[in-house]
Amino acid sequence: RIPWFQKGGARQIASGKRSILEDPVSAQILPFAAFLFSSLVIGALFEVPAVGYPYRVLFTLAVLLAFSRCIPAGVSWRLDPLAVFAGAAIAVMWLAGQWGESAALADIVPGLTGTALLVWIVARLFGTTLLVPVIEEVFFRGYLLNRLNFGDRYGTAIALIASSALFAMLHGNIVLAFVAGLVLGALVLRSGRVWDAVVAHAVANGLIGLYALVMDNWAVI
């Protein structure tokens, strides 16, 4: 979209073309890409990368808000009880699968105390419960699932499995994440609304985050 990269230069670009911040496809991809990129930067700058998580949240949130005019177009604010139930089921499955894993907050972010620690906890829970579900679902279920779907039941099944497998690769427990991806994808295929997957993902992460906070076991996140 940058004129310098276009064959023939800027003269061949339509003057009325919308900017990248108004492009719905870019809105589905770039916030997720920004979240991944921030992980690389924080990993390079911090001896303990987890300590820099609030900066990842701020950067990714800024990118997401920049596309805010595009993303709500596909959002329905109606809550589907099935999405809430599915999210709770994913949380139970995830916690059961992580049984025996343990890491206290002091082990995750050593050296943080007082206000800095409080800010980190708020950022971690906000990112886990609200930010991550939006950017991951908009990308994996809003963009990738539809992009890979060639139609008919076989094409839909392949798209569901492939998008869930790619989703699983971003998580520590690949098997549990793959099953969660199948459930989230099935919700979208059932209703046609990415919002249902966002709700389910947010409920699951919220319950897991609450467990981590109450039990001081941050290994489950």
Side-chain angles (χ1 to χ4, degrees):
R1 290 181 172 275
I2 298 174
W4 188 83
F5 288 102
Q6 302 294 326
K7 185 175 180 180
R11 289 171 299 179
Q12 293 194 8
I13 297 180
S15 58
K17 202 168 190 178
R18 61 189 176 192
S19 73
I20 195 171
L21 295 179
E22 297 173 325
D23 178 27
V25 176
S26 298
Q28 292 176 313
I29 297 173
L30 291 184
F32 175 72
F35 188 69
L36 295 184
F37 174 72
S38 68
S39 176
L40 296 176
V41 174
I42 294 300
L45 296 178
F46 286 81
E47 184 177 352
V48 180
V51 174
Y53 190 84
Y55 297 101
R56 294 187 65 192
V57 169
L58 288 175
F59 175 69
T60 308
L61 182 61
V63 175
L64 184 64
L65 291 176
F67 287 99
S68 59
R69 288 174 294 179
C70 298
I71 293 177
V75 167
S76 168
W77 300 107
R78 184 174 67 85
L79 278 181
D80 186 347
L82 182 61
V84 177
F85 174 80
I90 290 173
V92 171
M93 176 195 69
W94 189 267
L95 292 173
Q98 302 280 3
W99 194 258
E101 300 280 342
S102 180
L105 188 58
D107 300 323
I108 300 295
V109 283
L112 283 188
T113 58
T115 302
L117 182 60
L118 179 61
V119 169
W120 187 92
I121 292 173
V122 171
R124 190 69 172 92
L125 294 178
F126 172 79
T128 298
T129 305
L130 298 176
L131 185 61
V132 168
V134 172
I135 62 174
E136 287 191 350
E137 294 312 316
V138 166
F139 175 71
F140 282 102
R141 259 60 69 173
Y143 173 74
L144 202 57
L145 179 62
N146 288 326
R147 187 70 173 176
L148 297 175
N149 194 343
F150 300 112
D152 67 52
R153 60 181 181 178
Y154 297 107
T156 300
I158 291 172
L160 178 61
I161 293 170
S163 61
S164 299
L166 292 171
F167 174 75
M169 291 178 185
L170 289 180
H171 297 79
N173 194 313
I174 294 179
V175 175
L176 294 180
F178 177 70
V179 174
L182 291 177
V183 173
L184 295 168
L187 286 172
V188 175
L189 292 174
R190 169 183 172 270
S191 66
R193 296 188 302 268
V194 179
W195 176 244
D196 288 348
V198 172
V199 169
H201 199 154
V203 169
N205 283 14
L207 292 174
I208 294 168
L210 180 63
Y211 175 89
L213 181 64
V214 171
M215 303 301 294
D216 191 27
N217 182 8
W218 297 81
V220 298
I221 295 184

